[in-house]
Amino acid sequence: MTRTEAVNHTSGSAGRAVVVFTDLDGTLMDHDSYDVAPAQAALEALAARSIPVVPVTSKTRIELVPLLARLGLSGPAIAENGAVIVNTDGSPDIADAREKIDLALDALPKNIRKAMICFCDMEIEQIAAATGLTLADATRAAMREASEPFMWQGDAPPLTTLTEILGETLEKFDLRLTQGGRFFHIVPPRDKAAAISALLSEQTPRPQSWVLGDGPNDVSMLLAADRGALIANEHVNTQRSLPADHNLYMSRVSGPAGWHEAITAFLAAEFG
């Protein structure tokens, strides 16, 4: 296992190992304070069973370095909405060159580009103000390798409408648009679900995936999971992006408390 070596798993009721993949902001971490405390007991319960937790986030690889240490996590991670896979040794697998996004932004009609406030347009202090991050963390957030977050001036249109507005230009550069809890993101085709699949495919037999997230950019990975949990989101209505026949666990509360709720339910269902 080149990416995930030295990861030991507890087998679930189906006799397959379990790996937890989780979004961070608004899921494992509080949307505003970035607090993890309400999820700590669930993290410890997973650790007691040697079930690894793999972050899957819009954050950058550089942002994840101190976060992984703070959370007590080791092993692989997925950054920038799937565009960057961080191997166990810290080396990156980058889906596409960041320069392609610069070319796409330059090719947009001027009135559309003017309505977009991208991270690349902002000073570090502005990123900190928009995210609630410290200046040091905002500096790490700006170090994009394969994606670009942005806000829309004025009232943001729905994701489907914005995709139509930007779609023709993004398609020329083989780029996509997705939406997180705070920002829209221009990304390469490899999304969170595809990055998870790449990690799981390296393990034989393929482990069970327990996946947790709260935003529209998490839907594809939730629907592809063996057990998926949509964590309640007070800021974005992610439920409208779900098919009617989904079987996701729907948490009653948001953020790390909802994460604790879902993991506790998954552990009880899998191990009794």
Side-chain angles (χ1 to χ4, degrees), residues 69-109:
R70 172 188 162 197
L71 295 170
L73 301 179
S74 59
I78 295 169
E80 298 194 39
N81 287 304
V84 178
I85 297 175
V86 186
N87 299 319
T88 302
D89 63 4
S91 63
D93 170 357
I94 300 174
D96 217 333
R98 173 65 179 75
E99 290 74 19
K100 184 184 288 188
I101 295 177
D102 296 330
L103 293 172
L105 290 173
D106 290 342
L108 286 168

Side-chain angles (χ1 to χ4, degrees), residues 8-12 16-19 46 48-52 271:
N8 298 314
H9 315 274
T10 292
S11 294
R16 293 164 58 203
V18 176
V19 182
L46 293 170
R49 291 188 175 274
S50 298
I51 296 176
F271 299 104

